[in-house]
Amino acid sequence: MKLTDRAMDRLPTFCGIKYSDGASLYNLPLLEKVGPGLEFLAGSDEAYLMSVAQGFRAAVGSTYNYAAPIYDRVREAVNSGDLEEAQIVAGPCAGDDRRDVWNLWSGFTESDDADGGD
């Protein structure tokens, strides 16, 4: 018996899995085959664009809450077929430095933070 089967049998509220392997290409059809009926949530902020393009409908990550409008714009661009716009908007989200996302969302730049504070 698979882990997903056991979890669904024993945990009445079990409904999905966060998939966070940002180092590999997401394979949503394979994940859905392993866990039919489950929701798979993208878990890598850096791979959000790739996840949306592959069909992930939800995400859990460290910047999604405070930068939701950015991620909403990425999803809207993908859904409308404008992948170029999606890449432009997602650019700061794909980096390793979360300050890029914060700076884009908050409207301040690194020069505004010259005193070294967070």
Side-chain angles (χ1 to χ4, degrees):
M1 182 178 252
K2 296 182 295 191
L3 172 67
T4 53
D5 293 336
R6 288 194 309 257
M8 290 184 347
D9 287 344
R10 296 179 184 176
L11 304 168
T13 58
F14 180 75
C15 61
I17 297 172
K18 175 183 173 184
Y19 185 75
S20 298
D21 184 4
S24 66
L25 292 176
Y26 292 119
N27 192 338
L28 186 58
L30 178 60
L31 293 172
E32 291 173 332
K33 186 176 181 179
V34 171
L38 294 176
E39 177 74 26
F40 289 91
L41 296 92
S44 171
D45 300 27
E46 298 83 2
Y48 183 76
L49 172 56
M50 179 173 51
S51 302
V52 171
Q54 290 188 42
F56 280 82
R57 294 184 304 265
V60 175
S62 59
T63 62
Y64 298 138
N65 287 331
Y66 70 81
I70 296 169
Y71 293 101
D72 287 343
R73 284 182 54 204
V74 172
R75 182 173 294 279
E76 290 166 4
V78 169
N79 290 342
S80 69
D82 190 349
L83 296 181
E84 185 175 340
E85 174 69 10
Q87 287 177 317
I88 292 168
V89 174
C93 305
D96 291 331
D97 190 347
R98 294 292 185 261
R99 289 177 298 181
D100 291 341
V101 177
W102 179 253
N103 290 342
L104 179 64
W105 173 238
S106 68
F108 70 82
T109 65
E110 280 190 78
S111 63
D112 294 329
D113 194 29
D115 65 348
D118 289 328

